[in-house]
């Protein structure tokens, strides 16, 4: 059903978010937090995004779907 497809997509989204947070934390623990400098010279923390494509992006992920990402 559509509800199942949406729930599987939400689960994949949550797992991917956690994987990105874990990777970021491990990198920060090894080499320190990422810091960039603005054009005005002030520091800021860069952001990262992962886009879900195909069935994940359309909330139609099923049990046999793969996950297509752009990061």
């Amino acid at each position: 059903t559509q509800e199942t497809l949406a729930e599987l997509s939400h689960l994949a989204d949550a797992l991917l978010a956690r994987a990105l947070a874990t990777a970021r934390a491990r990198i920060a623990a090894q080499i320190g937090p990422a810091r960039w400098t603005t054009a005005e010279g002030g520091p800021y923390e860069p952001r990262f995004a992962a886009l879900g494509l195909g069935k994940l992006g359309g909330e139609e992920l099923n049990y046999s779907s793969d996950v297509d990402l752009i990061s």
Side-chain angles (χ1 to χ4, degrees):
T1 68
Q2 278 305 114
E3 184 178 348
T4 302
L5 299 177
E7 289 299 320
L8 287 171
S9 298
H10 295 161
L11 174 61
D13 187 50
L15 292 170
L16 289 167
R18 184 64 186 146
L20 289 172
T22 299
R24 186 178 188 140
R26 287 182 181 177
I27 290 169
Q30 289 177 1
I31 61 173
R35 297 281 181 232
W36 290 358
T37 305
T38 65
E40 294 79 29
Y44 75 96
E45 188 172 327
R47 296 182 184 189
F48 183 80
L51 304 177
L53 304 174
K55 290 185 177 187
L56 175 59
E59 292 190 346
E60 297 174 348
L61 200 68
N62 60 50
Y63 292 107
S64 61
S65 296
D66 59 349
V67 177
D68 300 318
L69 300 174
I70 291 180
S71 61

